[in-house]
Amino acid sequence: MAENAADKGTPSGGRPPRPDLAAMVVPLGRALMAAEQPVLDAHGLTMWAYAVLLHLDETPIRTQAALAEAIRADKTRIIAVLDDLERRELIRRQPDPEDRRVRLLSLTAEGRRLRDTTQAAIQEGEERLLARLPAADRAGLLRALQTLSTLPELTARKPGRGSPRT
C-alpha cells in the first residue's frame, strides 16, 4: 500500500499522534483563569484591570488604543476599566506634551504595588501546578510558552477580535 505524504507521522487510522495545541491549551488556560479569579477578587481587580496593570509601568504607553492592542482588547471596552483604575489612583492618564489630544498611560506607585502583590499571589498558585513537572520539563515549558506567546503572527492581529481574558 502506498504511503500518503499527509499520513506521515500519524498512527494507523489517520489520526495525529497528539491533540491539537488549542485542545490542550484552552482547557488549561480556562483552569488557570478560574484559579486566578479568587486572587483577583481578593485584590479588587477584574481580569481586564489586571491585564492593564501587567502591561503598564513607569514608561508611559502613548495611547489607549496602543494599550488595547497590546492586551488584545477592544479599545472602547477598556475605557471603563481605565476610568476605574484612574479613579482608584492605580494608573495615571496625562496629556502628551507633544499632542494634547493624546493621553499617556502609566502606573502609579500604588498601581505597581497592587500589580506586584496580585501577580505574586497568582504565581504562587502556578508554582504548585508547575511543581508537578520535573525541573527540566518545567524550564522547557516556561521557555516554550514565553517564545510562543511573543511570536509576531500571534500578536499581529486586528484589534477587537477576540481576547485572552474576559
Side-chain angles (χ1 to χ4, degrees), residues 14-142:
R15 294 197 60 168
R18 64 165 177 80
D20 298 343
L21 292 177
M24 293 184 285
V25 172
V26 169
L28 175 60
R30 287 183 179 145
L32 291 171
M33 287 171 55
E36 282 182 12
Q37 195 59 58
V39 175
L40 295 175
D41 291 345
H43 290 89
L45 294 171
T46 64
M47 289 275 186
W48 282 115
Y50 181 58
V52 167
L53 294 180
L54 284 174
H55 230 76
L56 292 178
D57 216 332
E58 294 85 14
T59 305
I61 289 184
R62 189 152 192 280
T63 66
Q64 293 176 175
L67 173 64
E69 186 174 339
I71 65 171
R72 298 181 181 183
D74 183 278
K75 64 184 173 186
T76 60
R77 182 176 192 180
I78 67 163
I79 291 171
V81 173
L82 296 175
D83 289 344
D84 178 61
L85 293 172
E86 183 179 37
R87 181 186 53 74
R88 294 170 57 194
E89 299 182 356
L90 300 172
I91 67 166
R92 189 173 17 260
R93 288 194 274 196
Q94 303 173 94
D96 184 339
E98 296 175 18
D99 183 348
R100 308 236 354 122
R101 296 168 297 174
V102 172
R103 297 283 182 245
L104 299 175
L105 305 169
S106 59
L107 278 181
T108 63
E110 180 60 21
R112 190 175 312 101
R113 185 203 61 75
L114 182 59
R115 177 205 58 200
D116 294 348
T117 301
T118 304
Q119 188 172 33
I122 287 171
Q123 289 187 3
E124 184 179 309
E126 292 172 349
E127 288 300 319
R128 287 190 294 275
L129 176 66
L130 290 169
R132 295 179 180 184
L133 297 175
D137 290 350
R138 175 184 179 158
L141 173 66
L142 292 172

